[in-house]
Amino acid sequence: MAATPGHISETLALLSQDTHDHMDEDGEEKPFDMNETLESLNHEDVYQPTTKTPSHFRHAHQVISEIKAIGRPALVGPCKNDVRTRWGQRITLTSSIVKYQYQSFLLDPFLEEMVAPLIAPIRQLVRDVTIGDHKGEQPNEQAEEVFYMLYFITKTRGYKTIVKFLPHEVADLEPAFQFLKMQTKRSPWETRYILFIWLSLMCMIPFDLKSIDSQASKDSSRIPLVDEMIEAGKYYLDGAGKDREGAALFLARLLTRKDTCKTYLPEFVAWSKELMAKDPNVFHSLGIMGAFCWIFKLGQREVLLPIAEDLKELLVYVESQDRFMSNSSIKKYIVKLSQRVGLCLLKPRVAAWRYQRGNRSLRSNLGQDASAAGINQDKVSTKIAEETEDDENFEVPDAIEGVIERLMNGLRDRDTIVRWSAAKGMGRLCNRLPKEMADDVVGSIFELFSEDVFQLANGEPDISSVSEHTWHGACLAVAELARRGLLLPHRLTELIPWIIMALKFDVKRGAHSVGSNVRDSSCYVCWSFARAYTPDILDVHVRKLSNTLIAVSVFDRDINIRRASSAAFQENVGRMGIFPHGIEIVTVADYFSIGNITNSYLTVAPFIAGFVEYRRSLTEHLMEASIPHWDIAVREVASESMARIAVLDLDYACNEIIPKLTTMTSSLDPTIRHGALIALGRTLKALKAHSEQPLEQRISTETLQNIALVVPSVPGFTLTGFGSENVRQALCVFIACLAEAGWAVEFSVLESWKAIVNTTLERSEEPLQKIATDTFRALVTQYGILEIEVDRCLLKIEPKADRFGVRGFSLALGEVDFKSQTYAPWLSKVLSALAGTTDKTVCEDAESRRNAVNAVSNIIKVLGPSYRNVVSLDVSRSILEMYFKGLEDYSIDHRGDVGSWVREACMQGLAEMVPLVAQLDLSYETSERYLSEENQIRVLAKLLQQSVEKIDKIRASAAASIIKIIYARTETSAQEESYVVHVPHRALLMGVFEDSVELNWLQASEVYIRVVHLLNLPEFRSDLLVGFVISAGGMTETLVRHASSCLSEFVSNLPITNNDMEVDGAPNTLTLIEFGNSLLSLAEKYEGQDRVVVPFLEVLDMLMESGSLLMMEDEYDFVPLVRFVRRQTQRSKDTRKLSACIRLFCGFCALGGKVKNAMLQDLLKLLVHSFPKIRRATADAMYLMLNSSADEPTEATEQVGQLLANTDWNKPATQVGPIRDKMYPLLGLEKPKPATVAKK
């Protein structure tokens, strides 16, 4: 980590404090006292991170307390904690620790306090069950939790760090191994893993294992304890869990000891070769290969040389078996083991010929004169690079060639872990090779870049056929060589061009792109250059590197590549200091600013383009890579970026950028054509806006002619078929940009533009129609429109026209500005045609109706204050009626409630029209009002209905429209603010629809409890009740729960008559009688519309069941409601409606008298309904009604109850009919006579 002034000052402060601690009271230095020091060490903990080291481990106290709680219970015998407690502790601890998985170093100051409470009981457990009082007993479930938590900490921080805190006394070796032998493969693998890690540590004790094993014989070279350990390790090498890796490490530690290697290591090699030849499973193979990798990492060279030849044979055998080479982990182990065998064969040394930059510590560099240090280090580096060691006496074994070949193949492998391991192996091997041989290896790596690279006719290399895996591996290897100083400076001239190409490597393969890993690794190469070379070495290549790194930093598609390139650029700026304007760029192009691709393209890139050194390279990268990119999102944002950069140098843009983009628009590749069209249009628009001189004078005549021919020359096949939507979108953007820029065009060219727009309006894609609509507006605004063209548009929206054309041209007609005296006479027929399109009896397509409504709303919005000058009173009223009809559009198809699109558009239109027209009515006080008070109230009533209906989005849109209407203000002549729209009970409405409070209208729990009180207002009651009924009687559980509970509570609190109204406080304006009348009016109005009738029946049943309606039994005539419900069962096959009617019949029985008899007659009829479900529902409802009745049960009713309960109502109606007939006399009813059919 580089030192900063803050770090240096902090270090100086600590040194000053340490010096002060060793001063006496007179300020003189105290003499060193060893006894005092030892005494202080005995009384104080040497490792006190919590008091000395600041940490960001916020959960430290909680985690340590819970760890102690886990390790406190006994681990042998009955477990004190139940399963729930143990799992609760595990989940709590793991959730706290896992947060630090990617910054695990924050745990370091507390690791000892975390590990000690776990390893201490484990150590005690091992002793107790092996040699202690509980010998032979099995640990309980709590022990598994302790081992698991220690494993989890190890997983988070890494075993190499945790193993430092484990005990390593000799006395623990045999008990720990005996405890391992007690484990089975059914035991938790976390337990075995921790034991193997612990044993691997104890295997490093510096005593002869014979002195530990009581059964060992001095005359024998074998040690019984070691024999058992090796067999146990072999046994677990085929595990599928982490314990396999622990066993491999344990065996490596044991077999590489001086007292065991001569006897046991060759045996292990022979056993491994024999087992690998017997077709072992993949886990066993991984375990063996992993063990050998650990052996060659931990063992001494003189110990490993005798088995190196056998390992070469094993590697050759493994490579020849397809079953092994199909596994990426085994291939990684092959590469890793090969490089370690090669390092074993070569003598340990550091190549004297390697390039050394010198002092690479920034902190050290700060303490000396930079220029002087740079000169001295350059001299030293050059001298060392030119000197050649006596490589003639250095023999390289022949086997090294095989190792290098294997590593070269690893660089081409398809798996990243294999390539990365091979790259590191190349760096390590080359560090021990003679200069000439290492240079040959470097040349071979460079040749990987040229594999499958062909040369185009223009001399440029074609990399479309190369393997991205090979380039990625080659870049990783080059970075490793450069970082180690093994890539000599004279090789950079050959390498830099390949790295520049790798930074831009993005090749499309089928439906996806490859190359992100290549670009990432090439950034690593550039980062390593900053660490490896002095500024004068890279000075020749600075321009290419800096320009490419900057372009990739701001223009790459992937965020990780942009950040990697930015990091490489920053590293070069900090260590080299030769990149132009490095500090200014690094300040703006930081980790966060380039994280967002839009900000990177549109903000950071134009800022960097302000520096002349980078401007042209950025524009070239845009034209070569970003504008023709395979991702459409990148092409679009790159086009806008090109427009912002081009205005920085108008002459260059007009002479270079515009001609190139114009040429690209004629490409047969649809992606190139698409990006070039958008970029050309936006760039021309930007240049036109920033150029003081007419742009036609800056651009050559030939280029102007080519720009005019861009649209007419588009091949017809690109406008139809697959991918044509992208080309049409680009053409529309191009046309719109030129139209907005006021581009001068000939009539024929303008006609070709209009033809493209008109045909695009008939496409089925909605986003494409929206873009074509915007282009249509730009054309009309700049070049005008003829009446004959308007008539053609009207023909396209006739009822019999194509539905896609109706959608598109409806939107287009809404973009015409009818304020103009030229267009105003056409408005009536346009509005009439659009209004006809909104009628669902004429137009069945919901999208067409929605677009027509949106078009009318847009016309009103554009007209603004000129509305009354252009629109007549009759037309205005017809528009209002159109909106009202649209709010009743509840059309349904296979997509659901498509009518909601129309209703939402109507609400948005009313929010535009009502405040505007009401404001204009106030301005024209003498003339007749366009918007009467009755219509204003009607608008609010309809919007209130929508604000409580079942679709969340509709409720939110209705609320927004209401707020816009009731809060619309104007200024009177006295400069006093007043509201525009007449709103009765404004205070109550504003209390519900507060403009300053953001109420979540998508949440039913927040909406209905606020709006239900508006039912008291007679002006809005009827429509608002419809909305409540539809929601409370719906099928969405949460919606029904909130709406029905609010409505039920509201009704239950209503007074029955006016005489029962409250005297104190605010009087209620609604009585229960009036509410019943409102329900009856609603039922009669919507009879025959199941959309309302079925929810109405559900709500009516809910109110009857709650007893709210029965409170007015004596004052209200229920007969009309009863008749309405009875009519709903006639010829109905809707089971939901019939079920609601059955429950209501049972509820109406509480009214007694003739009503009860009529209800029982209807219920008995339904007992023989043709649907078994209805028969069962009727029987259940009748049984519950009879049992819950307030009347005293009689013998007859009990018999009816038995018949209802004991009869199988799933049987055919003919079989249950006689049973039903028995109920008539029991209930005191006369069986109705069957209807006779008159003979003809």
Side-chain angles (χ1 to χ4, degrees):
M1 180 181 297
T4 64
H7 293 146
I8 296 173
S9 61
E10 183 180 350
T11 305
L12 292 175
L14 292 174
L15 291 175
S16 174
Q17 179 65 33
D18 185 62
T19 304
H20 177 75
D21 292 341
H22 290 84
M23 295 289 183
D24 58 15
E25 296 179 356
D26 298 330
E28 296 181 0
E29 186 176 356
K30 297 179 181 179
F32 178 74
D33 188 350
M34 175 62 74
N35 295 327
E36 181 182 351
T37 304
L38 292 177
E39 184 178 356
S40 64
L41 292 177
N42 291 331
H43 286 82
E44 297 180 6
D45 186 4
V46 178
Y47 183 72
Q48 293 181 331
T50 55
T51 58
K52 295 181 179 180
T53 307
S55 174
H56 296 279
F57 185 21
R58 295 185 301 166
H59 304 81
H61 179 72
Q62 173 190 352
V63 167
I64 293 172
S65 300
E66 292 174 353
I67 287 176
K68 290 179 179 179
I70 287 181
R72 191 175 298 120
L75 306 185
V76 184
C79 185
K80 296 182 179 179
N81 295 335
D82 57 6
V83 176
R84 183 183 297 273
T85 303
R86 295 197 305 271
W87 272 95
Q89 291 176 333
R90 175 183 289 196
I91 293 173
T92 302
L93 262 176
T94 53
S95 61
S96 298
I97 297 175
V98 76
K99 298 175 182 177
Y100 301 89
Q101 179 73 56
Y102 296 104
Q103 291 180 313
S104 57
F105 59 85
L106 296 176
L107 306 178
D108 287 355
F110 302 92
L111 283 179
E112 187 174 8
E113 299 177 66
M114 295 168 64
V115 174
L118 297 174
I119 195 60
I122 288 176
R123 189 180 184 189
Q124 186 62 42
L125 169 68
V126 169
R127 288 178 174 274
D128 288 344
V129 300
T130 55
I131 58 177
D133 298 336
H134 300 278
K135 185 176 181 180
E137 296 184 22
Q138 290 293 331
N140 57 26
E141 293 83 355
Q142 188 66 31
E144 297 177 2
E145 296 302 317
V146 176
F147 276 104
Y148 177 83
M149 283 315 306
L150 185 55
Y151 157 74
F152 195 83
I153 296 173
T154 305
K155 177 186 80 74
T156 304
R157 187 61 187 98
Y159 90 92
K160 293 182 181 179
T161 304
I162 301 300
V163 78
K164 300 174 184 177
F165 301 98
L166 300 182
H168 48 80
E169 295 183 10
V170 177
D172 293 327
L173 179 59
E174 285 193 271
F177 177 65
Q178 293 300 323
F179 188 77
L180 175 65
K181 290 171 63 178
M182 295 172 61
Q183 307 299 312
T184 64
K185 288 200 173 181
R186 292 182 178 271
S187 305
W189 59 264
E190 294 90 351
T191 302
R192 299 194 298 271
Y193 176 74
I194 293 299
L195 290 172
F196 275 125
I197 295 299
W198 189 17
L199 286 169
S200 69
L201 174 66
M202 289 187 287
C203 282
M204 298 172 63
I205 56 177
F207 307 109
D208 194 334
L209 292 180
K210 280 187 178 182
S211 62
I212 300 175
D213 189 359
S214 57
Q215 301 178 2
S217 174
K218 296 181 179 180
D219 300 332
S220 175
S221 60
R222 308 195 69 83
I223 307 173
L225 178 61
V226 175
D227 289 334
E228 294 181 15
M229 287 181 172
I230 292 177
E231 290 302 320
K234 290 179 181 178
Y235 180 73
Y236 288 109
L237 280 181
D238 66 342
K242 195 81 171 176
D243 54 335
R244 181 185 69 244
E245 299 178 14
L249 175 61
F250 166 65
L251 285 174
R253 292 286 189 194
L254 187 60
L255 294 173
T256 54
R257 289 177 55 91
K258 290 184 179 180
D259 53 351
T260 60
C261 60
K262 293 182 180 180
T263 303
Y264 294 100
L265 189 54
E267 293 179 0
F268 182 78
V269 174
W271 171 82
S272 301
K273 292 174 64 177
E274 180 182 357
L275 186 64
M276 294 292 282
K278 292 181 180 179
D279 193 13
N281 61 52
V282 64
F283 299 115
H284 215 159
S285 305
L286 288 171
I288 293 172
M289 297 297 291
F292 277 123
C293 288
W294 276 115
I295 288 170
F296 272 83
K297 181 177 183 179
L298 302 175
Q300 299 292 326
R301 183 170 182 262
E302 58 272 13
V303 173
L304 301 177
L305 277 176
I307 66 169
E309 192 65 33
D310 293 332
L311 263 296
K312 288 189 297 181
E313 297 176 2
L314 179 63
L315 288 171
V316 172
Y317 172 76
V318 172
E319 285 183 317
S320 65
Q321 303 297 314
D322 293 338
R323 67 179 187 273
F324 294 136
M325 298 307 292
S326 61
N327 187 282
S328 58
S329 297
I330 291 181
K331 290 190 292 183
K332 182 193 75 171
Y333 279 138
I334 290 174
V335 171
K336 190 182 293 290
L337 185 56
S338 297
Q339 61 172 284
R340 290 180 179 172
V341 170
L343 292 173
C344 176
L345 295 175
L346 294 171
K347 292 181 181 180
R349 69 165 193 161
V350 176
W353 52 265
R354 67 191 181 105
Y355 176 82
Q356 299 181 33
R357 178 176 180 175
N359 198 340
R360 302 188 190 189
S361 171
L362 286 179
R363 181 177 180 182
S364 300
N365 287 338
L366 290 174
Q368 56 185 326
D369 180 58
S371 60
I375 295 172
N376 293 336
Q377 292 300 336
D378 288 345
K379 289 182 178 179
V380 174
S381 301
T382 304
K383 183 178 180 181
I384 292 177
E386 291 177 354
E387 288 180 357
T388 57
E389 186 183 347
D390 190 11
D391 291 335
E392 297 178 359
N393 298 328
F394 184 81
E395 295 183 2
V396 178
D398 296 338
I400 294 299
E401 294 185 5
V403 172
I404 293 176
E405 182 181 358
R406 190 173 290 118
L407 294 180
M408 291 293 293
N409 292 332
L411 294 177
R412 300 185 180 94
D413 197 88
R414 64 181 181 181
D415 294 307
T416 302
I417 56 173
V418 179
R419 298 194 297 271
W420 181 231
S421 182
K424 291 189 289 186
M426 278 294 189
R428 292 167 183 155
L429 275 179
C430 289
N431 203 23
R432 297 190 183 184
L433 291 176
K435 181 178 179 181
E436 292 184 2
M437 188 170 185
D439 194 58
D440 292 340
V441 173
V442 173
S444 300
I445 295 174
F446 285 4
E447 290 177 0
L448 295 178
F449 288 109
S450 59
E451 286 185 1
D452 298 325
V453 176
F454 303 100
Q455 198 167 13
L456 298 174
N458 58 1
E460 295 292 328
D462 179 14
I463 60 173
S464 59
S465 302
V466 303
S467 169
E468 71 276 11
H469 306 313
T470 302
W471 275 54
H472 180 244
C475 287
L476 290 177
V478 167
E480 285 295 314
L481 293 173
R483 194 169 61 87
R484 299 169 188 269
L486 303 174
L487 187 64
L488 298 181
H490 71 274
R491 283 286 194 176
L492 291 178
T493 304
E494 180 183 357
L495 174 65
I496 294 295
W498 293 114
I499 299 302
I500 298 297
M501 293 175 61
L503 286 168
K504 303 176 182 179
F505 192 98
D506 193 357
V507 179
K508 189 176 181 181
R509 300 278 169 82
H512 65 285
S513 171
V514 298
S516 61
N517 56 348
V518 178
R519 302 196 301 276
D520 184 69
S521 59
S522 61
C523 293
Y524 176 39
V525 174
C526 297
W527 178 88
S528 65
F529 285 167
R531 293 292 188 106
Y533 302 106
T534 54
D536 61 324
I537 297 295
L538 284 179
D539 190 35
V540 183
H541 312 287
V542 160
R543 179 168 186 148
K544 294 180 181 179
L545 278 178
S546 61
N547 288 345
T548 309
L549 283 174
I550 281 295
V552 175
S553 297
V554 294
F555 290 146
D556 198 275
R557 176 180 179 269
D558 299 327
I559 179 175
N560 61 308
I561 307 300
R562 295 198 301 274
R563 286 174 169 169
S565 180
S566 175
F569 183 84
Q570 292 178 26
E571 192 73 16
N572 279 275
V573 169
R575 294 186 179 274
M576 297 288 184
I578 56 177
F579 278 26
H581 309 285
I583 299 299
E584 295 93 328
I585 293 174
V586 167
T587 304
V588 175
D590 58 17
Y591 180 87
F592 299 100
S593 63
I594 62 175
N596 183 282
I597 189 170
T598 303
N599 184 70
S600 182
Y601 268 85
L602 304 184
T603 304
V604 180
F607 171 80
I608 298 175
F611 303 110
V612 180
E613 294 86 348
Y614 299 103
R615 185 178 303 153
R616 298 200 176 187
S617 63
L618 289 175
T619 56
E620 290 174 0
H621 190 280
L622 283 173
M623 285 189 290
E624 295 173 2
S626 299
I627 290 175
H629 198 271
W630 58 271
D631 188 347
I632 186 173
V634 173
R635 296 200 296 270
E636 291 178 352
V637 72
S639 302
E640 182 61 31
S641 181
M642 173 63 83
R644 298 192 181 192
I645 293 175
V647 298
L648 300 175
D649 190 345
L650 297 178
D651 292 334
Y652 176 72
C654 295
N655 297 327
E656 298 291 338
I657 297 177
I658 298 301
K660 289 181 180 179
L661 289 176
T662 306
T663 303
M664 292 170 64
T665 58
S666 60
S667 173
L668 295 179
D669 189 337
T671 59
I672 298 177
R673 183 190 294 273
H674 174 267
L677 283 169
I678 299 178
L680 180 60
R682 291 178 176 172
T683 304
L684 287 172
K685 179 182 175 181
L687 293 176
K688 187 85 172 179
H690 287 79
S691 178
E692 297 179 357
Q693 180 183 358
L695 199 60
E696 291 78 3
Q697 299 179 10
R698 289 179 176 270
I699 302 176
S700 64
T701 305
E702 181 182 358
T703 304
L704 290 174
Q705 293 175 352
N706 293 333
I707 293 173
L709 295 175
V710 165
V711 176
S713 62
V714 174
F717 68 88
T718 62
L719 300 176
T720 57
F722 181 75
S724 60
E725 65 277 3
N726 292 336
V727 177
R728 285 187 173 273
Q729 179 229 358
L731 285 170
C732 287
V733 172
F734 172 78
I735 295 170
C737 289
L738 265 62
E740 291 170 359
W743 197 263
V745 292
E746 298 178 356
F747 178 77
S748 58
V749 176
L750 182 59
E751 287 299 310
S752 66
W753 288 8
K754 291 181 179 180
I756 291 292
V757 174
N758 290 337
T759 54
T760 305
L761 287 171
E762 296 177 326
R763 293 286 295 232
S764 60
E765 300 87 355
E766 286 192 15
L768 195 57
Q769 286 184 339
K770 182 65 175 64
I771 294 172
T773 302
D774 296 338
T775 308
F776 184 88
R777 180 183 64 248
L779 287 175
V780 172
T781 302
Q782 182 62 36
Y783 305 108
I785 188 171
L786 302 176
E787 185 175 8
I788 189 174
E789 294 175 331
V790 173
D791 293 337
R792 291 173 187 167
C793 293
L794 294 176
L795 291 175
K796 295 290 186 179
I797 64 173
E798 288 185 346
K800 296 182 180 180
D802 178 67
R803 55 176 178 156
F804 299 120
V806 175
R807 297 177 189 176
F809 281 96
S810 295
L811 288 175
L813 286 171
E815 300 297 334
V816 180
D817 185 1
F818 289 99
K819 289 184 297 186
S820 170
Q821 295 182 356
T822 305
Y823 307 149
W826 313 336
L827 179 59
S828 296
K829 61 180 179 182
V830 170
L831 289 176
S832 176
L834 290 173
T837 304
T838 61
D839 189 351
K840 62 181 179 181
T841 60
V842 176
C843 179
E844 297 180 356
D845 185 53
E847 288 92 336
S848 299
R849 300 198 300 272
R850 177 200 61 194
N851 289 359
V853 171
N854 285 331
V856 174
S857 302
N858 196 54
I859 290 173
I860 296 173
K861 183 178 179 180
V862 172
L863 289 176
S866 304
Y867 179 84
R868 288 190 54 149
N869 298 333
V870 180
V871 180
S872 64
L873 177 61
D874 292 337
V875 173
S876 180
R877 290 176 177 174
S878 67
I879 293 175
L880 193 59
E881 287 301 319
M882 177 199 73
Y883 284 135
F884 287 144
K885 287 183 180 179
L887 288 175
E888 299 297 329
D889 192 337
Y890 288 89
S891 305
I892 295 176
D893 64 7
H894 65 282
R895 295 169 294 182
D897 185 3
V898 294
S900 63
W901 302 338
V902 182
R903 300 200 301 275
E904 184 180 10
C906 289
M907 289 186 288
Q908 294 170 352
L910 286 172
E912 290 290 339
M913 176 184 180
V914 172
L916 173 65
V917 178
Q919 168 69 40
L920 294 176
D921 284 343
L922 294 178
S923 303
Y924 293 82
E925 295 180 355
T926 57
S927 60
E928 186 175 358
R929 302 185 67 176
Y930 274 40
L931 190 63
S932 63
E933 292 185 0
E934 292 77 8
N935 281 332
Q936 294 179 19
I937 295 174
R938 187 181 176 192
V939 167
L940 288 173
K942 294 295 183 182
L943 292 177
L944 282 171
Q945 174 186 337
Q946 298 298 323
S947 70
V948 293
E949 287 208 353
K950 56 187 178 181
I951 300 179
D952 298 344
K953 186 178 179 182
I954 296 299
R955 290 201 304 271
S957 181
S961 300
I962 292 173
I963 290 173
K964 188 173 182 180
I965 290 173
I966 66 177
Y967 285 94
R969 294 174 178 268
T970 185
E971 292 186 0
T972 63
S973 58
Q975 299 299 321
E976 295 179 357
E977 287 188 335
S978 62
Y979 294 103
V980 173
V981 182
H982 169 71
V983 179
H985 313 287
R986 181 183 296 276
L988 289 176
L989 282 175
M990 287 185 169
V992 175
F993 299 91
E994 299 182 41
D995 191 18
S996 58
V997 179
E998 293 185 3
L999 180 66
N1000 187 3
W1001 289 90
L1002 302 178
Q1003 285 291 337
S1005 59
E1006 300 182 25
V1007 173
Y1008 294 100
I1009 195 171
R1010 294 173 64 96
V1011 183
V1012 68
H1013 300 289
L1014 297 181
L1015 287 171
N1016 286 316
L1017 308 180
E1019 295 87 351
F1020 310 127
R1021 183 181 304 148
S1022 175
D1023 296 285
L1024 191 58
L1025 185 58
V1026 174
F1028 264 100
V1029 165
I1030 291 175
S1031 297
M1035 301 182 68
T1036 307
E1037 181 182 355
T1038 55
L1039 188 70
V1040 170
R1041 182 171 67 251
H1042 293 296
S1044 60
S1045 62
C1046 292
L1047 184 60
S1048 178
E1049 183 180 358
F1050 173 78
V1051 175
S1052 63
N1053 294 326
L1054 291 177
I1056 299 176
T1057 63
N1058 291 328
N1059 298 329
D1060 300 323
M1061 285 190 178
E1062 297 179 1
V1063 178
D1064 300 329
N1068 291 315
T1069 59
L1070 176 64
T1071 64
L1072 198 56
I1073 299 296
E1074 292 173 343
F1075 183 78
N1077 293 331
S1078 298
L1079 286 177
L1080 181 60
S1081 300
L1082 186 153
E1084 293 173 348
K1085 179 179 179 181
Y1086 290 98
E1087 187 170 5
Q1089 300 183 32
D1090 284 353
R1091 175 185 66 83
V1092 181
V1093 169
V1094 175
F1096 173 80
L1097 295 173
E1098 297 280 359
V1099 171
L1100 191 60
D1101 172 53
M1102 180 263 296
L1103 295 175
M1104 291 292 295
E1105 185 179 359
S1106 65
S1108 301
L1109 294 182
L1110 292 177
M1111 292 189 299
M1112 59 178 183
E1113 178 180 356
D1114 298 332
E1115 290 82 4
Y1116 185 74
D1117 183 11
F1118 282 92
V1119 173
L1121 272 178
V1122 172
R1123 291 173 178 170
F1124 170 79
V1125 176
R1126 296 184 70 184
R1127 289 197 297 270
Q1128 305 313 307
T1129 61
Q1130 298 174 4
R1131 294 184 297 277
S1132 175
K1133 295 184 179 180
D1134 186 345
T1135 57
R1136 185 177 173 219
K1137 180 195 285 189
L1138 291 172
S1139 299
C1141 290
I1142 291 169
R1143 296 193 298 272
L1144 280 170
F1145 288 161
C1146 294
F1148 286 144
C1149 286
L1151 299 175
K1154 295 181 179 180
V1155 174
K1156 180 178 180 180
N1157 292 336
M1159 295 299 95
L1160 291 174
Q1161 289 280 5
D1162 289 339
L1163 287 171
L1164 291 174
K1165 288 180 183 179
L1166 291 171
L1167 279 176
V1168 291
H1169 195 274
S1170 58
F1171 293 168
K1173 181 177 180 180
I1174 299 302
R1175 297 199 295 271
R1176 292 196 307 270
T1178 306
D1180 293 342
M1182 287 186 66
Y1183 184 82
L1184 291 174
M1185 177 196 66
L1186 293 174
N1187 287 336
S1188 59
S1189 175
D1191 299 334
E1192 190 70 23
T1194 64
E1195 183 179 354
T1197 57
E1198 291 181 355
Q1199 292 180 13
V1200 172
Q1202 291 178 359
L1203 290 174
L1204 291 171
N1206 299 330
T1207 303
D1208 183 7
W1209 297 101
N1210 288 320
K1211 292 181 179 180
T1214 56
Q1215 296 183 21
V1216 299
I1219 300 175
R1220 188 277 313 263
D1221 293 343
K1222 295 178 182 179
M1223 299 182 190
Y1224 280 103
L1226 294 175
L1227 295 174
L1229 301 175
E1230 182 180 353
K1231 181 180 178 182
K1233 297 179 180 180
T1236 58
V1237 180
K1239 296 182 180 179
K1240 295 182 180 180

